Amino acid sequence: MRSPVEDVDTLRYTKDHLWVRVESGHARIGLSAHGQKALGDVIAVELPDIGDLLERGESFGEVESNRTVSDLLAPVSGRVKAINIDLEESPSLVNEDPNHEGWLVEVDLADAAELDDLIDADQYESMVADGDDGR
């Protein structure tokens, strides 16, 4: 059985189950494998527009599943550079491949120091193994 964080040691996590992968000053954000599993089957995703500003800790969209609707809280601040338009037609990508094809948005980081507040893969795996929902 694969761990909730699989082989993605390069990811940083929020306690509310979002991941962040940083490359060249850009942060790609997605819902963790554990987070999508807890939500159930994702049936719709609402994302911001390209060019919108995300503020860390503020809502930037919603994920609707067969169980609930959940706000997405920005793990970092920045301007939206790209959104995963494939989620419009196939929101189930969040369930099928949450760490890759099911990514949500990509932002130009406003403050790289915000990454220091995120937890690493080992800390996240310990949190979910302990049954901590992060809140």
Side-chain angles (χ1 to χ4, degrees), residues 37-80:
K37 185 176 180 183
L39 281 175
D41 294 334
V42 174
I43 56 175
V45 180
E46 180 183 309
L47 297 173
D49 293 323
I50 293 173
D52 285 356
L53 286 173
L54 269 57
E55 289 291 328
R56 184 177 77 173
E58 299 295 321
S59 177
F60 70 91
E62 293 180 341
V63 175
E64 182 179 351
S65 73
N66 60 348
R67 297 180 188 162
T68 188
V69 175
S70 295
D71 278 331
L72 297 167
L73 302 180
V76 293
S77 302
R79 186 169 302 279
V80 176

Side-chain angles (χ1 to χ4, degrees), residues 105-122:
V105 298
E106 189 171 299
V107 300
D108 289 320
L109 282 173
D111 183 359
E114 290 178 345
L115 296 168
D116 295 337
D117 294 331
L118 303 176
I119 57 178
D120 66 25
D122 290 336

Side-chain angles (χ1 to χ4, degrees), residues 15 17 34 123-135:
K15 291 184 177 183
H17 309 293
H34 178 81
Q123 292 168 315
Y124 182 75
E125 189 169 345
S126 292
M127 182 187 84
V128 297
D130 290 342
D132 184 353
D133 74 358
R135 293 173 200 161

Side-chain angles (χ1 to χ4, degrees), residues 17-28:
H17 309 293
L18 292 178
W19 57 259
V20 177
R21 178 182 292 120
V22 178
E23 295 176 359
S24 304
H26 307 294
R28 184 168 276 189

